[in-house]
Amino acid sequence: MKLPLTLMPLWHVAAEENPRYALTGLRIEPTPRGTLNVVATNGKELLAAEVRDTDIQEGFTGATIPRHLCRSVEKLAKQFHTRGHIDCTFEGGSVHLDVPTGDGAVRLTAALEEGRYPPWQDVVKPLAGLKLLEPTAKQRQCLVPVALKVPG
C-alpha cells in the first residue's frame, strides 16, 4: 500500500519510548470505506488522518509501525528529496517501507510493535459535531482530549 509522505507530522507525535509500549509507533488500520486510518499518540496528544486513494494489502487488518522506522524514513526522504509516497508492505510480523531515491528505492524493514493499541476511535467519535472549548491545564494532562458542548 502507499503511504503519503505528508503524514510525517504524525510521526513526531508518536511516542519513542513509553512504559505503555502500545502507545509507541504509528497505527495503521483499514476502514470499511476502503481508506486507511493513520493514528499517532504519545499518551497526551492524539493525531489521526484518513488516507484515501491507497491500495490496501489484501488481508490487512491493522498494524503499528515502530517510531524509529518512521524517523529513518523521514531522514532518507530528506536526503533523497523524496516526494509523494512510500510503499508499505506487511509480511508476517514485519513491515517493509520502500523509500524512492530517484534511481531506485531503499527498503527499510522492522518488526511490528506488539501489544494492543488504545481504542482511539472512542476518543474521536464523541468529538464529532461538538464545539470545543480551550481545555484547562488539568484537562491537558489527560491521556485523551476532552470535548465540551457549548450551551445554546
Side-chain angles (χ1 to χ4, degrees):
M1 67 185 72
K2 298 187 182 307
L3 292 177
L5 286 171
T6 53
L7 294 174
M8 280 198 282
L10 271 74
W11 302 350
H12 295 283
V13 173
E16 283 190 65
E17 292 183 23
N18 194 315
R20 295 166 290 183
Y21 64 90
L23 294 177
T24 62
L26 191 69
R27 181 70 184 169
I28 301 175
E29 299 174 347
T31 70
R33 298 179 302 283
T35 60
L36 287 175
N37 284 325
V38 182
V39 183
T41 184
N42 59 14
K44 295 179 183 168
E45 301 171 292
L46 184 143
L47 290 179
E50 184 176 27
V51 179
R52 298 184 177 117
D53 302 325
T54 188
D55 52 331
I56 298 174
Q57 188 174 329
E58 189 172 325
F60 179 68
T61 58
T64 304
I65 299 174
R67 170 78 157 82
H68 70 85
L69 190 62
C70 296
R71 285 192 136 204
S72 297
V73 167
E74 184 177 27
K75 287 178 185 176
L76 283 170
K78 285 180 181 177
Q79 179 181 347
F80 292 105
H81 307 289
T82 303
R83 301 275 186 260
H85 68 274
I86 55 172
D87 289 319
C88 179
T89 309
F90 297 94
E91 187 176 14
S94 298
V95 59
H96 308 288
L97 299 177
D98 296 320
V99 181
T101 61
D103 59 345
V106 173
R107 174 168 273 199
L108 301 172
T109 301
L112 295 170
E113 292 286 347
E114 295 181 11
R116 187 172 169 270
Y117 205 80
W120 64 272
Q121 297 93 335
D122 294 348
V123 175
V124 177
K125 285 180 184 173
L127 299 180
L130 297 180
K131 188 171 184 180
L132 300 179
L133 299 176
E134 182 66 24
T136 65
K138 187 174 182 179
Q139 290 168 338
R140 283 190 206 105
Q141 295 173 355
C142 295
L143 173 63
V144 295
V146 177
L148 302 171
K149 191 170 186 177
V150 178

PDB file of all heavy atoms in Angstrom, residues 86-106:
ATOM      1  N   ILE A  86       5.547   6.573   0.027  1.00  0.00           N
ATOM      2  CA  ILE A  86       6.429   5.422   0.189  1.00  0.00           C
ATOM      3  C   ILE A  86       5.561   4.173   0.056  1.00  0.00           C
ATOM      4  O   ILE A  86       4.369   4.192   0.367  1.00  0.00           O
ATOM      5  CB  ILE A  86       7.161   5.429   1.548  1.00  0.00           C
ATOM      6  CG1 ILE A  86       6.161   5.513   2.697  1.00  0.00           C
ATOM      7  CG2 ILE A  86       8.173   6.535   1.621  1.00  0.00           C
ATOM      8  CD1 ILE A  86       6.782   5.322   4.053  1.00  0.00           C
ATOM      9  N   ASP A  87       6.151   3.100  -0.411  1.00  0.00           N
ATOM     10  CA  ASP A  87       5.439   1.827  -0.494  1.00  0.00           C
ATOM     11  C   ASP A  87       5.606   1.090   0.825  1.00  0.00           C
ATOM     12  O   ASP A  87       6.699   1.024   1.383  1.00  0.00           O
ATOM     13  CB  ASP A  87       5.974   0.975  -1.647  1.00  0.00           C
ATOM     14  CG  ASP A  87       5.587   1.545  -2.998  1.00  0.00           C
ATOM     15  OD1 ASP A  87       4.433   2.004  -3.130  1.00  0.00           O
ATOM     16  OD2 ASP A  87       6.425   1.551  -3.906  1.00  0.00           O
ATOM     17  N   CYS A  88       4.510   0.529   1.304  1.00  0.00           N
ATOM     18  CA  CYS A  88       4.476  -0.124   2.603  1.00  0.00           C
ATOM     19  C   CYS A  88       3.901  -1.527   2.417  1.00  0.00           C
ATOM     20  O   CYS A  88       2.822  -1.684   1.860  1.00  0.00           O
ATOM     21  CB  CYS A  88       3.602   0.706   3.529  1.00  0.00           C
ATOM     22  SG  CYS A  88       3.421   0.063   5.175  1.00  0.00           S
ATOM     23  N   THR A  89       4.643  -2.542   2.877  1.00  0.00           N
ATOM     24  CA  THR A  89       4.195  -3.926   2.768  1.00  0.00           C
ATOM     25  C   THR A  89       4.317  -4.597   4.132  1.00  0.00           C
ATOM     26  O   THR A  89       5.329  -4.447   4.812  1.00  0.00           O
ATOM     27  CB  THR A  89       5.078  -4.705   1.760  1.00  0.00           C
ATOM     28  OG1 THR A  89       5.141  -3.978   0.550  1.00  0.00           O
ATOM     29  CG2 THR A  89       4.511  -6.082   1.491  1.00  0.00           C
ATOM     30  N   PHE A  90       3.285  -5.319   4.509  1.00  0.00           N
ATOM     31  CA  PHE A  90       3.287  -6.056   5.765  1.00  0.00           C
ATOM     32  C   PHE A  90       3.411  -7.543   5.448  1.00  0.00           C
ATOM     33  O   PHE A  90       2.708  -8.070   4.593  1.00  0.00           O
ATOM     34  CB  PHE A  90       2.005  -5.785   6.554  1.00  0.00           C
ATOM     35  CG  PHE A  90       1.873  -4.351   6.946  1.00  0.00           C
ATOM     36  CD1 PHE A  90       1.169  -3.463   6.153  1.00  0.00           C
ATOM     37  CD2 PHE A  90       2.472  -3.881   8.097  1.00  0.00           C
ATOM     38  CE1 PHE A  90       1.064  -2.128   6.499  1.00  0.00           C
ATOM     39  CE2 PHE A  90       2.373  -2.552   8.459  1.00  0.00           C
ATOM     40  CZ  PHE A  90       1.658  -1.673   7.662  1.00  0.00           C
ATOM     41  N   GLU A  91       4.327  -8.197   6.153  1.00  0.00           N
ATOM     42  CA  GLU A  91       4.583  -9.608   5.899  1.00  0.00           C
ATOM     43  C   GLU A  91       4.896 -10.279   7.232  1.00  0.00           C
ATOM     44  O   GLU A  91       5.901  -9.945   7.878  1.00  0.00           O
ATOM     45  CB  GLU A  91       5.763  -9.721   4.945  1.00  0.00           C
ATOM     46  CG  GLU A  91       6.054 -11.092   4.457  1.00  0.00           C
ATOM     47  CD  GLU A  91       7.195 -11.086   3.442  1.00  0.00           C
ATOM     48  OE1 GLU A  91       7.919 -10.077   3.311  1.00  0.00           O
ATOM     49  OE2 GLU A  91       7.348 -12.112   2.804  1.00  0.00           O
ATOM     50  N   GLY A  92       4.030 -11.194   7.646  1.00  0.00           N
ATOM     51  CA  GLY A  92       4.223 -11.829   8.948  1.00  0.00           C
ATOM     52  C   GLY A  92       4.196 -10.780  10.044  1.00  0.00           C
ATOM     53  O   GLY A  92       3.293  -9.975  10.117  1.00  0.00           O
ATOM     54  N   GLY A  93       5.206 -10.744  10.875  1.00  0.00           N
ATOM     55  CA  GLY A  93       5.289  -9.745  11.936  1.00  0.00           C
ATOM     56  C   GLY A  93       6.216  -8.602  11.604  1.00  0.00           C
ATOM     57  O   GLY A  93       6.713  -7.917  12.488  1.00  0.00           O
ATOM     58  N   SER A  94       6.443  -8.376  10.282  1.00  0.00           N
ATOM     59  CA  SER A  94       7.364  -7.318   9.847  1.00  0.00           C
ATOM     60  C   SER A  94       6.679  -6.334   8.915  1.00  0.00           C
ATOM     61  O   SER A  94       5.667  -6.632   8.298  1.00  0.00           O
ATOM     62  CB  SER A  94       8.559  -7.918   9.104  1.00  0.00           C
ATOM     63  OG  SER A  94       9.289  -8.769   9.947  1.00  0.00           O
ATOM     64  N   VAL A  95       7.293  -5.159   8.812  1.00  0.00           N
ATOM     65  CA  VAL A  95       6.848  -4.150   7.853  1.00  0.00           C
ATOM     66  C   VAL A  95       8.045  -3.776   6.986  1.00  0.00           C
ATOM     67  O   VAL A  95       9.174  -3.695   7.469  1.00  0.00           O
ATOM     68  CB  VAL A  95       6.262  -2.898   8.557  1.00  0.00           C
ATOM     69  CG1 VAL A  95       7.275  -2.249   9.481  1.00  0.00           C
ATOM     70  CG2 VAL A  95       5.731  -1.898   7.540  1.00  0.00           C
ATOM     71  N   HIS A  96       7.799  -3.593   5.694  1.00  0.00           N
ATOM     72  CA  HIS A  96       8.821  -3.146   4.746  1.00  0.00           C
ATOM     73  C   HIS A  96       8.378  -1.797   4.199  1.00  0.00           C
ATOM     74  O   HIS A  96       7.266  -1.668   3.691  1.00  0.00           O
ATOM     75  CB  HIS A  96       8.967  -4.128   3.576  1.00  0.00           C
ATOM     76  CG  HIS A  96       9.185  -5.537   4.002  1.00  0.00           C
ATOM     77  ND1 HIS A  96      10.369  -5.974   4.564  1.00  0.00           N
ATOM     78  CD2 HIS A  96       8.368  -6.613   3.968  1.00  0.00           C
ATOM     79  CE1 HIS A  96      10.264  -7.257   4.839  1.00  0.00           C
ATOM     80  NE2 HIS A  96       9.061  -7.675   4.488  1.00  0.00           N
ATOM     81  N   LEU A  97       9.234  -0.805   4.314  1.00  0.00           N
ATOM     82  CA  LEU A  97       8.952   0.526   3.775  1.00  0.00           C
ATOM     83  C   LEU A  97       9.993   0.817   2.693  1.00  0.00           C
ATOM     84  O   LEU A  97      11.192   0.798   2.958  1.00  0.00           O
ATOM     85  CB  LEU A  97       9.025   1.583   4.879  1.00  0.00           C
ATOM     86  CG  LEU A  97       8.033   1.406   6.035  1.00  0.00           C
ATOM     87  CD1 LEU A  97       8.254   2.470   7.098  1.00  0.00           C
ATOM     88  CD2 LEU A  97       6.597   1.448   5.540  1.00  0.00           C
ATOM     89  N   ASP A  98       9.519   1.071   1.472  1.00  0.00           N
ATOM     90  CA  ASP A  98      10.396   1.365   0.344  1.00  0.00           C
ATOM     91  C   ASP A  98      10.371   2.864   0.073  1.00  0.00           C
ATOM     92  O   ASP A  98       9.342   3.418  -0.302  1.00  0.00           O
ATOM     93  CB  ASP A  98       9.943   0.600  -0.902  1.00  0.00           C
ATOM     94  CG  ASP A  98      10.045  -0.910  -0.717  1.00  0.00           C
ATOM     95  OD1 ASP A  98      11.032  -1.351  -0.107  1.00  0.00           O
ATOM     96  OD2 ASP A  98       9.140  -1.633  -1.174  1.00  0.00           O
ATOM     97  N   VAL A  99      11.519   3.501   0.277  1.00  0.00           N
ATOM     98  CA  VAL A  99      11.650   4.945   0.097  1.00  0.00           C
ATOM     99  C   VAL A  99      12.305   5.204  -1.265  1.00  0.00           C
ATOM    100  O   VAL A  99      13.442   4.790  -1.491  1.00  0.00           O
ATOM    101  CB  VAL A  99      12.511   5.574   1.214  1.00  0.00           C
ATOM    102  CG1 VAL A  99      12.613   7.075   1.038  1.00  0.00           C
ATOM    103  CG2 VAL A  99      11.950   5.216   2.579  1.00  0.00           C
ATOM    104  N   PRO A 100      11.588   5.879  -2.200  1.00  0.00           N
ATOM    105  CA  PRO A 100      12.174   6.173  -3.512  1.00  0.00           C
ATOM    106  C   PRO A 100      13.408   7.065  -3.382  1.00  0.00           C
ATOM    107  O   PRO A 100      13.443   7.989  -2.573  1.00  0.00           O
ATOM    108  CB  PRO A 100      11.055   6.909  -4.257  1.00  0.00           C
ATOM    109  CG  PRO A 100       9.802   6.565  -3.524  1.00  0.00           C
ATOM    110  CD  PRO A 100      10.206   6.337  -2.104  1.00  0.00           C
ATOM    111  N   THR A 101      14.439   6.761  -4.209  1.00  0.00           N
ATOM    112  CA  THR A 101      15.691   7.514  -4.154  1.00  0.00           C
ATOM    113  C   THR A 101      16.021   8.211  -5.461  1.00  0.00           C
ATOM    114  O   THR A 101      17.069   8.816  -5.582  1.00  0.00           O
ATOM    115  CB  THR A 101      16.859   6.578  -3.802  1.00  0.00           C
ATOM    116  OG1 THR A 101      16.961   5.591  -4.819  1.00  0.00           O
ATOM    117  CG2 THR A 101      16.664   5.940  -2.453  1.00  0.00           C
ATOM    118  N   GLY A 102      15.174   8.120  -6.442  1.00  0.00           N
ATOM    119  CA  GLY A 102      15.460   8.715  -7.743  1.00  0.00           C
ATOM    120  C   GLY A 102      15.860   7.667  -8.759  1.00  0.00           C
ATOM    121  O   GLY A 102      15.331   7.608  -9.850  1.00  0.00           O
ATOM    122  N   ASP A 103      16.795   6.795  -8.391  1.00  0.00           N
ATOM    123  CA  ASP A 103      17.214   5.734  -9.313  1.00  0.00           C
ATOM    124  C   ASP A 103      16.913   4.359  -8.723  1.00  0.00           C
ATOM    125  O   ASP A 103      17.568   3.373  -9.032  1.00  0.00           O
ATOM    126  CB  ASP A 103      18.706   5.850  -9.650  1.00  0.00           C
ATOM    127  CG  ASP A 103      19.589   5.763  -8.418  1.00  0.00           C
ATOM    128  OD1 ASP A 103      19.058   5.893  -7.289  1.00  0.00           O
ATOM    129  OD2 ASP A 103      20.795   5.546  -8.572  1.00  0.00           O
ATOM    130  N   GLY A 104      15.940   4.268  -7.873  1.00  0.00           N
ATOM    131  CA  GLY A 104      15.560   3.013  -7.236  1.00  0.00           C
ATOM    132  C   GLY A 104      14.850   3.307  -5.930  1.00  0.00           C
ATOM    133  O   GLY A 104      14.133   4.296  -5.812  1.00  0.00           O
ATOM    134  N   ALA A 105      15.070   2.452  -4.950  1.00  0.00           N
ATOM    135  CA  ALA A 105      14.455   2.647  -3.642  1.00  0.00           C
ATOM    136  C   ALA A 105      15.319   1.985  -2.581  1.00  0.00           C
ATOM    137  O   ALA A 105      16.050   1.036  -2.861  1.00  0.00           O
ATOM    138  CB  ALA A 105      13.053   2.062  -3.615  1.00  0.00           C
ATOM    139  N   VAL A 106      15.224   2.513  -1.368  1.00  0.00           N
ATOM    140  CA  VAL A 106      15.872   1.911  -0.211  1.00  0.00           C
ATOM    141  C   VAL A 106      14.772   1.230   0.592  1.00  0.00           C
ATOM    142  O   VAL A 106      13.756   1.844   0.895  1.00  0.00           O
ATOM    143  CB  VAL A 106      16.588   2.966   0.655  1.00  0.00           C
ATOM    144  CG1 VAL A 106      17.103   2.349   1.941  1.00  0.00           C
ATOM    145  CG2 VAL A 106      17.701   3.628  -0.124  1.00  0.00           C
TER     146      VAL A 106
END
